[in-house]
Amino acid sequence: MKTIYLDHSATTPVDPEVVQAMLPFFTERYGNASSIHHAGRDAYDAMGAARESVASLIGASPDEIYFTGGGTESDNLAIQGYAGHPVNRKRGKHIITSKIEHHAVLHTCQFLERQRGHRVTYCGVDGNGVIDLDELAASIADDTILISVMLANNEVGTIEPLREIRRIVGDRPIAIHTDAVQALGEMDIDVNELGVDMMTLSAHKVYGPKGVGALYIRRGTRVGPIMHGGGHERRKRPGTENVPGIVGFGKACELLARDGAAVRERVARLRDRLVEGVMARVDDVVLNGHPTRRIPRNASLCFRGCEGEALLLHLDMAGICASSGSACTSQSLEPSHVLAAMGVPIEIAHGVLRLTLGKGTTEEEIDYTVDTLTSVVDKIRGISAALGV
Amino acid sequence: MAIYTEKVMEHIASPRNVGVLEDADGVGTVGNPVCGDMMKIYIKVNGDRIDDIRFQTFGCGAAIATSSILTELAKGKSLDEAMAITRDTVARELGGLPAQKMHCSNLAADGLHEAIRDYQARREGQE
Ligand SMILES: Cc1ncc(COP(=O)(O)O)c(C=O)c1O
């Protein structure tokens, strides 16, 4: 059976060009970037080139890019490293974020509340998943030091108004962090245009390897290390660098700069074909997230009378990889905090299905998925019929 | 995500005895849509045997598979035998269920017991 992979927000296949770029750094160019000798210098230079390609994709300068072990670590470094810096700690203990952040942000904020005496405001969102800017503006206090709001949501794909947040903050001494893991490659990103001070990136969502990411830190933003060790990454992230991974991330960003816009346009068209196809053939479906301000690859749909896990399992039997985020598919058995914040009734939220397309997705795959989904929903509803769900 | 046994997957792929019994002698409803799992069991009783049985389920894979296998286990059984079918029996027959599914989604035996009690209540009403 052919695999139809529609879970690119979970992870992506590593692009063969990325693999090719990485390979020499396992076997021939294996130096430690901290070593003085030529093997070490070679690794150091390769990392420098990767730093440049990541930086240029987001309008940053290379010395503002700090490589990490992925998106989760970057979120932790941004929030804990900023809030925990002695100067910032003296200035204040209030952080503002949203209710729909990834757990890497939410749980880090909760940790600071419980263990470090910070105060956190979790701003609500509207029915489309857009942050309530009035609430955000009203919650800014004298001791607010940090605002962390994601650029694009991983479940429903809504793009958040970071530029407006900068406008609201003005030149108050409040740092703005954004988790751009789901936005990278899906929209043009410029840290200066957005007015953000820190930005989280992850390689494996953009056809790069897993376990590598970066944090952009604007020059002058005070962020301390959250791990302790050597002086790597300009004393912000100790540990011998994952050179092959970093080189792969650099290559992935280079490919985004080269092909990103064209891929995006194609993926958006296919996504619209998918959503329109499903809507035309299945009753009682809603598209979650903002109808237009959303990342091209995301189609998040709620099917009344179906439970997300049952949908996933049936799609999987037909070769289709998707994801749900419904209570039954999460480790915690909690329904999606994102849909809950958006005000989606819980019995509807149980029927959520997230399909995320990628650069390898074809029109045939989309048409097959629409057909399969139509019959799967029919089948599941046949089992639940008349329960009044 | 929960990992299911082959037997569970097989019941999810082709659930047995799905539907409604229009002239059911007993109906049991358990769970609710807010929890994400809800099921309805219909039985037709002949003498003291379950002659026919159907189910409707809204819920995850485990909820569907447990309902399906329960109908197989209960069909042809006496009411006493059917009352002795427990959540554990159902899970065992399926080759086990993931721990987090044991409580919230393994409701089918409860549904069957409800249906039998409904049947008994209706009979008492007649007498
Ligand atoms: C919005 C968002 N932030 C952070 C992460 C975590 O990134 P990583 O898997 O690289 O730790 C993810 C991916 O799961 C994500 O979607």
Side-chain angles (χ1 to χ4, degrees):
Chain A
M1 188 172 53
K2 201 174 158 259
T3 295
I4 294 173
Y5 187 79
L6 295 176
D7 203 9
H8 289 82
S9 275
T11 197
T12 56
V14 181
D15 189 289
E17 284 190 59
V18 171
V19 175
Q20 281 311 313
M22 290 172 70
L23 284 177
F25 292 89
F26 290 103
T27 48
E28 296 140 38
R29 305 173 64 182
Y30 48 79
N32 181 325
S34 301
S35 302
I36 294 288
H37 48 65
H38 66 275
R41 291 197 305 274
D42 178 48
Y44 183 83
D45 290 345
M47 267 186 7
R51 209 181 296 281
E52 267 177 41
S53 89
V54 175
S56 85
L57 189 63
I58 60 166
S61 94
D63 63 330
E64 295 172 310
I65 300 297
Y66 297 82
F67 288 116
T68 67
T72 301
E73 188 191 324
S74 295
D75 283 340
N76 274 268
L77 178 57
I79 297 167
Q80 289 191 61
Y82 186 85
H85 190 283
V87 171
N88 297 327
R89 227 173 29 211
K90 246 176 255 138
R91 290 199 304 117
K93 290 206 152 187
H94 183 230
I95 297 170
I96 301 171
T97 185
S98 84
K99 286 187 172 149
I100 62 163
E101 297 299 310
H102 190 271
H103 286 138
V105 167
L106 286 180
H107 291 169
T108 303
C109 287
Q110 286 161 14
F111 163 80
L112 291 178
E113 279 182 293
R114 282 199 298 262
Q115 314 248 342
R116 299 284 185 270
H118 286 82
R119 211 169 78 252
V120 181
T121 302
Y122 300 89
C123 286
V125 297
D126 66 14
N128 289 330
V130 179
I131 189 166
D132 182 340
L133 290 172
D134 293 334
E135 187 186 350
L136 180 132
S139 66
I140 295 176
D142 289 341
D143 64 339
T144 304
I145 52 168
L146 174 65
I147 295 176
S148 179
V149 174
M150 68 202 325
L151 189 48
N153 180 265
N154 45 304
E155 290 187 28
V156 299
T158 299
I159 295 169
E160 299 298 330
L162 264 296
R163 223 170 308 167
E164 278 68 47
I165 294 176
R166 167 49 72 193
R167 211 166 293 145
I168 289 166
V169 169
D171 51 13
R172 278 179 273 203
I174 300 170
I176 300 176
H177 165 249
T178 190
D179 177 335
V181 167
Q182 293 291 343
L184 189 68
E186 295 289 292
M187 57 190 280
D188 288 328
I189 296 178
D190 185 301
V191 289
N192 295 313
E193 216 175 278
L194 292 172
V196 298
D197 302 296
M198 294 183 278
M199 179 180 283
T200 289
L201 305 171
S202 178
H204 75 100
K205 313 280 189 186
V206 293
Y207 310 95
K210 294 168 182 62
V212 193
L215 180 64
Y216 155 79
I217 306 177
R218 183 180 293 279
R219 237 173 265 144
T221 308
R222 291 194 165 95
V223 176
I226 55 171
M227 295 193 292
H228 303 280
H232 311 80
E233 293 299 286
R234 285 143 289 144
R235 294 179 204 286
K236 293 208 200 300
R237 204 280 186 172
T240 300
E241 300 86 347
N242 172 5
V243 180
I246 289 168
V247 167
F249 190 15
K251 187 69 186 181
C253 288
E254 204 183 301
L255 297 183
L256 287 180
R258 191 185 74 192
D259 311 327
V263 168
R264 235 181 274 163
E265 203 178 301
R266 224 188 115 256
V267 165
R269 232 181 11 248
L270 288 174
R271 188 266 322 270
D272 293 344
R273 185 185 179 92
L274 171 67
V275 173
E276 283 158 21
V278 171
M279 295 279 186
R281 291 176 53 189
V282 184
D283 295 330
D284 274 334
V285 189
V286 284
L287 178 69
N288 302 307
H290 197 283
T292 54
R293 283 184 52 93
R294 63 189 301 131
I295 53 173
R297 69 178 168 205
N298 177 291
S300 168
L301 300 161
C302 277
F303 296 86
R304 184 184 274 274
C306 295
E307 192 284 321
E309 189 201 73
L311 283 169
L312 284 192
L313 292 170
H314 278 283
L315 290 179
D316 187 37
M317 288 178 218
I320 301 168
C321 302
S323 90
S324 173
S326 78
C328 286
T329 61
S330 72
Q331 296 294 338
S332 57
L333 293 182
E334 291 291 324
S336 154
H337 65 285
V338 177
L339 295 178
M342 287 164 58
V344 176
I346 187 160
E347 60 273 22
I348 304 287
H350 283 302
V352 64
L353 181 74
R354 183 187 73 177
L355 299 155
T356 45
L357 289 60
K359 62 181 177 181
T361 306
T362 65
E363 201 169 288
E364 293 72 50
E365 289 181 339
I366 292 303
D367 293 347
Y368 171 77
T369 302
V370 172
D371 287 346
T372 309
L373 203 45
T374 306
S375 62
V376 162
V377 169
D378 219 43
K379 179 166 184 173
I380 294 175
R381 284 183 178 164
I383 302 174
S384 71
L387 285 179
V389 179
Chain B
M1 195 174 133
I3 306 294
Y4 291 127
T5 63
E6 233 169 82
K7 188 98 182 253
V8 174
M9 289 307 294
E10 202 257 314
H11 277 271
I12 296 170
S14 7
R16 334 283 201 257
N17 305 308
V18 174
V20 183
L21 282 178
E22 294 296 351
D23 53 350
D25 298 317
V27 181
T29 307
V30 285
N32 69 66
V34 171
C35 291
D37 285 304
M38 181 179 180
M39 55 187 80
K40 211 162 177 171
I41 306 280
Y42 303 80
I43 53 171
K44 185 97 195 115
V45 181
N46 192 349
D48 90 321
R49 296 222 162 250
I50 295 180
D51 230 23
D52 205 356
I53 180 164
R54 294 288 151 81
F55 81 90
Q56 292 178 305
T57 289
F58 165 73
C60 66
I64 293 169
T66 51
S67 316
S68 169
I69 200 157
L70 174 97
T71 60
E72 285 195 330
L73 291 173
K75 204 167 184 170
K77 293 268 173 14
S78 72
L79 295 180
D80 285 348
E81 287 165 342
M83 280 308 265
I85 298 172
T86 64
R87 290 179 172 215
D88 283 341
T89 323
V90 169
R92 209 172 329 116
E93 287 293 326
L94 286 168
L97 279 174
Q100 78 265 34
K101 299 286 186 184
M102 279 302 281
H103 295 291
C104 61
S105 309
N106 189 1
L107 301 172
D110 303 6
L112 173 65
H113 301 163
E114 278 298 312
I116 294 171
R117 276 193 285 272
D118 179 47
Y119 162 75
Q120 287 164 341
R122 290 190 200 184
R123 282 229 333 200
E124 276 159 29
Q126 282 167 8
E127 277 164 9

